[in-house]
Amino acid sequence: MKLFWRTQLPLILIFSIQLVLVPLLYALTGEGRAVSVMLYGMLISASVLLVYLAYHYVMNREMYKELSKPADWAGSSADAITVPPLGSSPLPEAIHERMLHYEFQYTEQLQRQQNAMEQHITFINRWVHQMKTPLSVIQLTLPELEDAPAGHIRDELDRLRKGLEMVLYTARLERFEQDFAVEALGLREEVNKVIVERRKLFIRKGITPEFQIDSSLSIYSDSKWFRFMLDQIVTNAVNYSGGGSGKRVYLIAEDAGANILLHIRDEGIGIEPEDIGRVFNPYFTGERGRQYAESTGMGLYLVREIAHKLGHSVQLESTPGQGTTVSLALRKAEPTGTPS
């Protein structure tokens, strides 16, 4: 109703000015004695205006109601967005026809983009798997080389594998809803799998992992995505530990009621205070990240995005020169019954 009055306000203002000017004209021409006639004419004009406004509103009521609704399609899928009829009068029909035309163009463009995205993700998946084959071949030839060159090549192979894995998971993130299954997971078991996969990195860096995780603790998550997320955090903790032999990476879990808090704390170089608020931004490396060639600025960004999609949350605290703690709030599941 408000929209209707707003659109008709110019007409009402013009009519009001006319009602003032006509009696004034009569007064200036000396015909001001016919007051009753003037009032009768003004009443007839006002009645005609009211009839017109009522007719206009009735004929265009559906259009005004629809246009007055909040345009919030955030919770709707693209297929669910349709243009409803706006009425049978010429103006609503013309608007509806134009909106249908825009809807058709939007749907076509969206479909083209979805097809292009699907092709892109398929290409990335195939390319990553194809690249793993030559990496495996290189890995098999390493025993034939001397220890020093072989060690350098292993480092580069690990970087390549980590980069390929990040590309693969970044592409899959676009259709995350089709590629995850939440289930009850033993927290210590999942953490241990990540540490075992990165054992060579721990050995090369001289870093020791230390567990403080009760084996009875369980969480609701997706095993594949959770391990990828944890792997990003653990790898950062090792790489940014400063290369000092004898340092540790602590993995501590605490029961917080409905959640389990998993803290990954290192004894590394830490993060500058001005960078902490931006470490979860994509491609942000910061002052510390620029000291390490392998830093892409995407690791913590992916951690935050995956955590959000899995119903978890992530926080980071850091002190320069003392280390960094990344905390994951994970949804608690019933105990697995595994003995401590």
Side-chain angles (χ1 to χ4, degrees):
M1 196 67 175
K2 290 182 179 180
L3 179 60
F4 168 75
W5 289 115
R6 285 169 55 191
T7 56
Q8 300 303 319
L9 184 59
L11 175 62
I12 296 174
L13 289 176
I14 292 174
F15 178 78
S16 301
I17 294 173
Q18 179 184 351
L19 288 182
V20 174
L21 290 178
V22 170
L24 180 61
L25 178 62
Y26 272 92
L28 292 176
T29 57
E31 299 293 335
R33 292 173 296 177
V35 177
S36 59
V37 176
M38 287 189 296
L39 292 176
Y40 183 69
M42 293 170 63
L43 180 60
I44 293 177
S45 298
S47 300
V48 172
L49 176 64
L50 290 176
V51 170
Y52 165 77
L53 292 177
Y55 171 80
H56 184 79
Y57 176 74
V58 170
M59 294 300 295
N60 300 285
R61 179 173 50 190
E62 295 300 324
M63 178 184 69
Y64 286 117
K65 285 184 178 180
E66 189 64 34
L67 295 178
S68 297
K69 293 179 181 178
D72 184 14
W73 293 340
S76 304
S77 63
D79 296 336
I81 299 175
T82 57
V83 179
L86 300 177
S88 56
S89 62
L91 179 60
E93 286 184 346
I95 295 177
H96 184 250
E97 184 177 349
R98 180 58 59 89
M99 293 178 67
L100 286 176
H101 176 69
Y102 289 151
E103 179 189 25
F104 177 76
Q105 289 186 324
Y106 164 78
T107 304
E108 275 197 333
Q109 184 177 3
L110 180 63
Q111 188 62 48
R112 287 195 298 267
Q113 291 178 346
Q114 288 178 340
N115 292 338
M117 180 62 69
E118 290 293 331
Q119 293 177 2
H120 173 72
I121 293 175
T122 301
F123 167 76
I124 291 296
N125 289 337
R126 292 179 179 176
W127 178 78
V128 169
H129 288 298
Q130 288 175 354
M131 292 301 101
K132 287 182 177 180
T133 300
L135 292 181
S136 300
V137 174
I138 295 174
Q139 182 72 41
L140 293 174
T141 61
L142 287 179
E144 303 175 5
L145 302 177
E146 298 179 2
D147 291 341
H152 293 303
I153 294 176
R154 286 192 185 94
D155 290 342
E156 299 305 320
L157 284 176
D158 286 344
R159 291 182 182 179
L160 284 172
R161 285 198 182 93
K162 188 174 184 296
L164 289 174
E165 191 175 56
M166 183 172 292
V167 169
L168 183 62
Y169 277 86
T170 302
R172 288 177 175 175
L173 194 63
E174 296 295 332
R175 51 180 182 182
F176 181 88
E177 290 75 11
Q178 305 173 15
D179 192 32
F180 84 106
V182 173
E183 57 184 336
L185 305 172
L187 180 58
R188 184 180 177 91
E189 180 183 355
E190 295 299 314
V191 172
N192 188 63
K193 289 178 181 178
V194 174
I195 299 302
V196 169
E197 289 177 356
R198 292 298 174 187
R199 63 186 182 278
K200 293 181 180 179
L201 177 63
F202 277 93
I203 294 172
R204 288 201 307 272
K205 298 289 186 177
I207 307 297
T208 303
E210 183 168 314
F211 291 83
Q212 295 180 26
I213 304 175
D214 193 296
S215 57
S216 65
L217 295 177
S218 297
I219 61 170
Y220 284 121
S221 191
D222 176 272
S223 179
K224 175 183 62 181
W225 287 100
F226 175 72
R227 290 208 307 269
F228 172 78
M229 181 172 59
L230 185 59
D231 180 73
Q232 298 300 312
I233 301 173
V234 169
T235 302
N236 282 350
V238 175
N239 286 332
Y240 291 102
S241 288
S245 180
K247 291 187 176 182
R248 298 176 182 270
V249 170
Y250 299 88
L251 299 108
I252 306 169
E254 60 174 301
D255 194 328
N259 293 324
I260 292 177
L261 299 180
L262 177 61
H263 308 287
I264 301 94
R265 177 167 60 88
D266 62 58
E267 299 175 330
I269 59 177
I271 301 172
E272 295 296 332
E274 60 270 19
D275 289 341
I276 289 180
R278 298 184 289 171
V279 293
F280 291 106
N281 294 344
Y283 307 110
F284 179 78
T285 56
E287 183 63 29
R288 301 301 192 190
R290 285 187 284 271
Q291 300 176 19
Y292 294 83
E294 64 267 23
S295 177
T296 63
M298 288 295 290
L300 288 178
Y301 164 73
L302 291 175
V303 168
R304 184 189 63 179
E305 293 298 305
I306 294 170
H308 174 72
K309 290 179 180 294
L310 290 174
H312 309 323
S313 63
V314 57
Q315 293 183 340
L316 183 145
E317 298 177 354
S318 185
T319 302
Q322 297 183 20
T324 300
T325 300
V326 178
S327 300
L328 293 170
L330 310 168
R331 292 187 295 168
K332 184 180 179 180
E334 293 299 322
T336 60
T338 305
S340 301

